[in-house]
Amino acid sequence: MKQETFDSALRSTWHQVSKMYNKEAGKFDSTMAMGFALLSIDTEGTPSTTLGPKMGMEPTSLSRLLNTMETRKLIYRSQNPSDGRSILIHLTAFGKEKREDSKAVVLHFNAEIEKRLNEKKIQHFFEVMQCIKEQALEFEHFTTPTKTNAL
Amino acid sequence: MKQETFDSALRSTWHQVSKMYNKEAGKFDSTMAMGFALLSIDTEGTPSTTLGPKMGMEPTSLSRLLNTMETRKLIYRSQNPSDGRSILIHLTAFGKEKREDSKAVVLHFNAEIEKRLNEKKIQHFFEVMQCIKEQALEFEHFTTPTKTNAL
């Protein structure tokens, strides 16, 4: 392959984008993860157990993030009425306000990109992304060693 | 925007790809970061100070990673002959062997993706990636508050 590999383009572009989001969030002493969490919590409250997979975060990092957000009065917790063992995460009024800010940044950034592209390029971009995702799901280079049966 | 946003496609695809690389590396009790480090160290040795920016890693995480790799006898350190204060990172023979493995996985994965696409789609994909990267570099949503001059 003469050009850059698909995965290195992905890595470096995602790196650049998250740097930008962290810079914008940093203007309010916030982080990209916090903005992303605000956008992942819906208005009726979201079970804490579904947030992790939604955000692709490990339970420990997620719980640390939610604690910070609770201290900053962006969210509060309540017991799930339909499942006593599970906790719902809700946005406070302040959290909802900040959620709108996060949404505005994301929409603005994506609109700026869209402006500079045509339909065909956009369509191909999403097609290639989908292809990479599917390939990553089924790809295997090293075969898993088969376990020899004990007698 | 009807479709997914550019950044969420980036995030979720990169997430899927790194999961796959970690799975492959895990078959040898390794990680994607270790494989990426092997690929980032060249045969004449690489100054440790250039590795962090190259890999987009913070000094503390990088130094932890290099320590693990030294323990596993994948790398060794030497003093930089052209700069006494800087350290060069070298691959051991075992490290070079493992580097070939990492390279094979990356090339195989990228070849599988390329197989399923045509020239035009690939070209557009890299063009859009470049456009996102440039946009991320110059984008600003919230203006940095101007500091009022003290009298």
Side-chain angles (χ1 to χ4, degrees):
Chain A
M1 213 176 294
K2 314 133 274 180
Q3 86 242 329
E4 209 189 347
T5 56
F6 293 98
D7 59 322
S8 86
L10 263 179
R11 168 198 282 269
S12 64
T13 307
W14 173 242
H15 187 72
Q16 204 68 55
V17 169
S18 49
K19 218 167 123 182
M20 178 279 290
Y21 276 138
N22 272 315
K23 204 171 117 195
E24 287 299 308
K27 293 177 184 172
F28 302 92
D29 201 25
S30 178
T31 60
M32 176 176 71
M34 239 184 262
F36 188 44
L38 290 174
L39 291 170
S40 308
I41 298 165
D42 42 54
T43 32
E44 320 86 72
T46 298
S48 59
T49 43
T50 65
L51 260 183
K54 214 169 165 179
M55 297 184 59
M57 270 180 95
E58 297 302 321
T60 8
S61 334
L62 179 67
S63 127
R64 207 182 310 131
L65 177 66
L66 293 178
N67 287 339
T68 312
M69 292 176 76
E70 197 169 22
T71 313
R72 293 193 178 200
K73 307 216 184 311
L74 289 162
I75 57 159
Y76 63 94
R77 297 167 208 238
S78 79
Q79 207 138 46
N80 193 340
S82 61
D83 175 6
R85 289 166 310 168
S86 118
I87 295 291
L88 286 179
I89 311 288
H90 304 265
L91 298 174
T92 62
F94 179 55
K96 283 177 188 163
E97 196 184 293
K98 286 295 168 189
R99 185 188 206 272
E100 287 310 303
D101 282 350
S102 302
K103 207 169 156 183
V105 178
V106 171
L107 291 178
H108 181 190
F109 178 61
N110 279 279
E112 287 298 324
I113 297 166
E114 208 173 358
K115 249 191 231 169
R116 295 167 58 177
L117 300 167
N118 63 40
E119 283 251 335
K120 198 86 222 145
K121 286 185 188 175
I122 295 177
Q123 189 203 315
H124 283 161
F125 172 78
F126 284 103
E127 263 183 65
V128 175
M129 281 299 208
Q130 188 54 35
C131 169
I132 298 174
K133 224 186 269 183
E134 283 165 14
Q135 195 52 240
L137 263 173
E138 67 184 45
F139 182 81
E140 194 171 43
H141 179 78
F142 299 108
T143 46
T144 329
T146 39
K147 290 198 181 76
T148 20
N149 287 324
L151 268 182
Chain B
M1 212 175 295
K2 313 133 280 206
Q3 86 242 330
E4 208 187 348
T5 57
F6 294 98
D7 59 320
S8 85
L10 264 179
R11 167 198 282 271
S12 63
T13 308
W14 173 242
H15 185 74
Q16 203 67 56
V17 169
S18 49
K19 218 166 121 182
M20 178 279 290
Y21 276 139
N22 273 315
K23 203 170 118 194
E24 287 300 308
K27 292 176 184 170
F28 302 92
D29 200 26
S30 177
T31 61
M32 174 175 73
M34 239 185 261
F36 188 45
L38 291 174
L39 292 171
S40 308
I41 299 164
D42 41 55
T43 32
E44 319 87 72
T46 298
S48 60
T49 44
T50 65
L51 259 184
K54 213 167 166 183
M55 297 184 59
M57 271 180 94
E58 297 302 321
T60 8
S61 333
L62 179 66
S63 127
R64 207 181 311 131
L65 178 66
L66 292 178
N67 288 339
T68 312
M69 292 176 74
E70 199 169 20
T71 315
R72 291 193 179 200
K73 306 217 184 310
L74 288 161
I75 58 160
Y76 65 94
R77 297 166 208 239
S78 77
Q79 206 138 47
N80 193 339
S82 61
D83 174 7
R85 289 167 309 170
S86 117
I87 296 290
L88 287 179
I89 310 288
H90 305 264
L91 297 175
T92 62
F94 178 55
K96 282 176 190 165
E97 196 186 292
K98 286 296 167 187
R99 185 186 206 273
E100 288 310 304
D101 281 348
S102 302
K103 208 168 155 180
V105 178
V106 171
L107 291 179
H108 181 190
F109 178 60
N110 280 278
E112 287 298 324
I113 296 167
E114 209 173 355
K115 247 191 233 168
R116 295 167 57 176
L117 301 167
N118 63 38
E119 283 252 335
K120 198 86 222 148
K121 286 186 188 175
I122 295 177
Q123 189 202 317
H124 283 162
F125 171 79
F126 283 103
E127 263 182 65
V128 175
M129 280 300 208
Q130 188 56 34
C131 170
I132 298 175
K133 225 187 267 183
E134 283 166 15
Q135 196 51 240
L137 263 173
E138 67 182 46
F139 181 80
E140 194 171 43
H141 179 78
F142 299 109
T143 47
T144 328
T146 40
K147 288 199 182 75
T148 21
N149 286 324
L151 266 181

